[in-house]
Amino acid sequence: QASVEFIVLLGDDVELCTNGWKNEIESTFLSVSQTTGLPFGIACVAFRDENYAAFPTFPVLHCTHLHVFGELFPSEFINQHGDPYVFEIYRRWGASMFAKTSKLRNTIGGADASRYRKISSFCWRDTILSKAIQKLSMWLEHKKVQKAQQYHCLDVVVPSYRCDINLLQNFANLRVSIQPASITIVIVVDNPDLSPEHLAIIQSLQSHDPNHIVRIHKNEVNLGASESRNTGLSQSFGDYAILLDDDVIPEISLLD
């Protein structure tokens, strides 16, 4: 519709949990524009999913996305992966954010069983994503957006069976001094026997902060270090990924 300003990507099994979410989402778009110097609307703002914390499952886009790309998603997307795809496009300009308080609950789909066939082998993070990044870059150049800077996007993947909070805190604290940069840290808990209390302590490391996301993923069964790294890498969409063990103590400047 020509009069549409924002596009909210939801499913019919989603419950919105926060009153006033519309105002918060719009305020976040304004904040992104003011912080980055990008035109208003060049951004992606995701709800906080109570079922899949720190993962951009339900993003909101501005109608400018359609002006840039001519469509929501390329035709290769069928029933999955579209949400992280758009989040990763705008991440390259520091313009992908989670809402501060607006939450939702995915009651049927999400990380668990869904009503449709999930296509896990579909790969969009290379050529398809690169083409989208290039297209947005060309659009910004055409619009002569002087302040547009592309971010270094770095991911860290850490499988953990020991789940020592003191050691894992070191990974969650990793920062980059060379700016602009965006970091996503994925800690894969590979101990299915972890008590709910212990898991809650590990999950306290999760972060939705702008350009510094910490995600905790718990395996349902013990997969071992190698397969857990694959699990973490399946949620890693940055330009570079660093694989670390949970018993190393990284220097604070490691990512530099």
Side-chain angles (χ1 to χ4, degrees), residues 100-118:
K100 289 185 177 180
T101 64
S102 296
K103 298 180 181 180
L104 52 70
R105 184 180 303 111
N106 194 6
T107 60
I108 298 178
D112 301 319
S114 64
R115 295 165 296 172
Y116 54 81
R117 182 173 62 92
K118 293 186 176 183

Side-chain angles (χ1 to χ4, degrees), residues 2-248:
S3 60
V4 168
E5 186 173 5
F6 292 98
I7 305 165
V8 186
L9 304 180
L10 299 175
D12 61 357
D13 55 346
V14 166
E15 295 179 0
L16 295 170
C17 305
T18 308
N19 293 326
W21 62 267
K22 295 179 184 178
N23 290 335
E24 183 181 65
I25 295 291
E26 186 168 355
S27 295
T28 306
F29 270 89
L30 179 59
S31 176
V32 169
S33 179
Q34 293 172 337
T35 301
T36 63
L38 295 168
F40 181 85
I42 298 298
C44 177
V45 180
F47 285 87
R48 297 192 179 209
D49 188 342
E50 291 189 347
N51 300 93
Y52 210 179
F55 192 88
T57 49
F58 295 99
V60 181
L61 299 170
H62 190 264
C63 64
T64 305
H65 180 87
L66 299 180
H67 300 328
V68 175
F69 297 100
E71 58 189 359
L72 275 176
F73 311 112
S75 60
E76 290 90 343
F77 290 86
I78 299 175
N79 56 24
Q80 242 187 320
H81 305 289
D83 299 342
Y85 163 75
V86 293
F87 195 86
E88 288 297 320
I89 294 173
Y90 294 99
R91 179 187 174 195
R92 266 56 185 183
W93 281 268
S96 289
M97 304 284 174
F98 284 94
K100 289 185 177 180
T101 64
S102 296
K103 298 180 181 180
L104 52 70
R105 184 180 303 111
N106 194 6
T107 60
I108 298 178
D112 301 319
S114 64
R115 295 165 296 172
Y116 54 81
R117 182 173 62 92
K118 293 186 176 183
I119 306 177
S120 59
S121 61
F122 172 54
C123 185
W124 54 266
R125 70 182 89 189
D126 44 25
T127 303
I128 294 174
L129 179 59
S130 296
K131 286 182 177 179
I133 293 169
Q134 182 180 25
K135 192 165 190 175
L136 180 52
S137 179
M138 293 174 63
W139 187 88
L140 291 169
E141 184 177 350
H142 176 73
K143 294 293 183 179
K144 299 181 179 179
V145 180
Q146 301 296 327
K147 294 183 179 181
Q149 295 186 73
Q150 279 200 242
Y151 279 48
H152 304 285
C153 293
L154 309 175
D155 295 346
V156 179
V157 175
V158 184
S160 180
Y161 181 83
R162 284 172 280 260
C163 298
D164 184 324
I165 185 64
N166 296 315
L167 291 174
L168 295 180
Q169 182 74 63
N170 294 320
F171 303 107
N173 289 341
L174 286 171
R175 296 291 192 277
V176 175
S177 63
I178 302 173
Q179 296 295 331
S182 172
I183 303 172
T184 295
I185 299 164
V186 183
I187 297 174
V188 180
V189 174
D190 194 34
N191 185 348
D193 297 324
L194 205 66
S195 70
E197 294 78 16
H198 193 166
L199 179 61
I201 293 173
I202 302 302
Q203 289 174 331
S204 69
L205 298 174
Q206 288 181 148
S207 169
H208 296 80
D209 291 348
N211 299 308
H212 188 266
I213 297 170
V214 181
R215 182 181 309 130
I216 308 298
H217 175 91
K218 180 178 178 292
N219 293 336
E220 294 303 315
V221 297
N222 176 254
L223 297 177
S226 295
E227 189 59 32
S228 292
R229 288 191 185 95
N230 286 337
T231 298
L233 282 171
S234 71
Q235 301 176 33
S236 166
F237 314 115
D239 302 314
Y240 301 94
I242 300 175
L243 308 180
L244 298 174
D245 290 334
D246 67 349
D247 59 347
V248 303

